[in-house]
Amino acid sequence: MRAENIFERHLRRETLFKGNREALYPDYLPDYLPHREEEIDRLAEILVTALRGEKPSNILIYGKTGTGKTAVVRFVGRELRRAQEVYGKKNVEYIYINCETVDTPYSVLQNLGNYFIEEWDEKIPFTGWPLDKVFSTVKERIDSWGGIVIVVLDEVDKLVAKSGDDILYQLLLLDTEMKNSRLSVIGISNELKFTDLLDPRVRSRLTQEKLIFSPYNAYQLEDILEERVKIAVKDGVVDREVISTCAAIAAQEHGDARRAIELLRIAVEMAEREGATKVEDRHVYLAKNKIEMDCVREAIKTLPLHSKLILLTVALNDEVGRTQLTTGEIYDIYKNLSRRAGLTPLTQRRISDLISEMDMLGLINAKVKSFGRYGRTKVVELALPTIEVKNILFEDEIIEGLKNVKVTAQKKLFF
DNA sequence: TGTCCACTGGAAGGGAGGGCTT
DNA sequence: AAGCCCTCCCTTCCAGTGGACA
């Protein structure tokens, strides 16, 4: 008998998706965005000025993750482009920049400048030029093009937190210094308090118009999911009930539509892999676990080495029942561990920052607590199951070398 | 009531690493 | 090759602090 090809069994299995599986991926932009009609209309109302050849107001958009900010902005951008095609004019450029990756003044300007590139122009390199040269090059290029530029800065709060508001100031300056072109900024932020970080002049000019996106509730999430299911999944595979479950879970987690969609997609994949013909609630819960675990794994794996050592310190102590540690205690043990691993320990100041970073990632919980006479420090505990954390940490070659290290209740290290 | 601990977290700056200009 | 610039990671320095204790 012929041995079965490794793919055959999987090929035989029927897929539960229709052709358009992308509809369940985060960067898919549907033709219809349920429950965001008002926001779309509002944005269109502001931006229509650009089609008339005048500069629209700067806009600041707030809202938690997964409330459709990015989708709405991209949607409106696409419509704007279409409108220009219909009228046969091309005097508006709509440029989307995600500040999660493009997070320095230099890179924002570089991105912008390379958008207006003619074949005889040289590209602005991703590093190397003095900032003012990049600025003047960008200004020159946009000005000689002569039109309205709308720059969308997604996750602008990240940019400002990292590099300050200089870049926003420069963009506003760019607008006033050009003769033939105008430039508007649309900032998108998850953080409501983000404008506190801004210089008052920048703030008032950036927030000429404000849009606030509130989180979706469970019913709205159901509508969104239903839209996507129609496009991406075969009929009868996903019941109303399963959609409700996904929506309910996501609604609990602050109404994040992105999470809801991802949850549903993975649930379908789980069912498919199982050879089931329908998705059940069970698959949704499996998917929920998988997503959580994948997130944690990814977060730990991509940690800098010294952060991993700190996490290992916390995990090893947790294992022997010392669930709470102060910065000083962590630092002592960390120092030993890193020497043991052949590394020079970083300073306590730096470790303090790394602890805070891991707190933000949700890997550990760190709270500042005062012990009165006995000082004031962070109290740190592991936020995840010890075994899981250790297993993932030991996937790192250098950390694996510390596999036999044990910690006793007296803080001593044993090898 | 004041003291004082064990840090926290801001500020400044060094230097390595990327890359460009001359 | 030397001399820039920008960013990232880290160190050094230090003023500031919540609250138990004397």
Side-chain angles (χ1 to χ4, degrees), chain A residues 293 296 300 311-312 315 363 382-394:
Chain A
M293 232 21 247
V296 167
I300 295 181
L311 193 58
L312 181 64
L363 301 176
L382 207 58
L384 303 160
T386 323
I387 314 228
E388 308 268 16
V389 172
K390 274 182 69 186
N391 284 340
I392 301 169
L393 279 173
F394 286 139

Side-chain angles (χ1 to χ4, degrees), chain A residues 253-300:
Chain A
E253 296 169 9
H254 358 269
D256 184 339
R258 197 180 313 174
R259 294 291 306 274
I261 293 167
E262 188 188 19
L263 191 59
L264 184 67
R265 186 191 79 237
I266 298 195
V268 177
E269 284 171 1
M270 289 274 189
E272 187 179 273
R273 214 163 297 157
E274 229 178 54
T277 52
K278 283 193 84 154
V279 180
E280 294 166 31
D281 273 0
R282 184 167 59 86
H283 297 120
V284 177
Y285 291 109
L286 281 173
K288 181 170 181 266
N289 280 338
K290 182 177 186 305
I291 291 171
E292 278 161 12
M293 232 21 247
D294 284 356
C295 265
V296 167
R297 170 173 296 272
E298 196 50 33
I300 295 181

Side-chain angles (χ1 to χ4, degrees), chain A residues 9-21 232-235 237 268-269 271-273 275-278:
Chain A
R9 186 165 51 90
H10 300 284
L11 272 174
R12 265 207 309 277
R13 196 176 54 207
E14 242 186 275
T15 174
L16 301 178
F17 291 98
K18 283 196 245 184
N20 230 337
R21 167 194 290 241
V233 187
K234 286 185 177 164
D235 295 347
V237 169
V268 177
E269 284 171 1
E272 187 179 273
R273 214 163 297 157
T277 52
K278 283 193 84 154

Side-chain angles (χ1 to χ4, degrees), chain A residues 38-44 46 59-63 69 72-73 186-187 189 192 207 209-214:
Chain A
E38 270 179 44
E39 286 80 358
I40 290 173
D41 193 53
R42 181 80 202 289
L43 204 53
I46 300 168
I59 308 168
L60 197 59
I61 299 178
Y62 290 123
K69 300 181 300 293
V72 164
V73 166
I186 301 180
S189 164
L192 269 159
T207 57
E209 297 280 355
K210 272 192 218 170
L211 257 71
I212 295 171
F213 283 53
S214 46

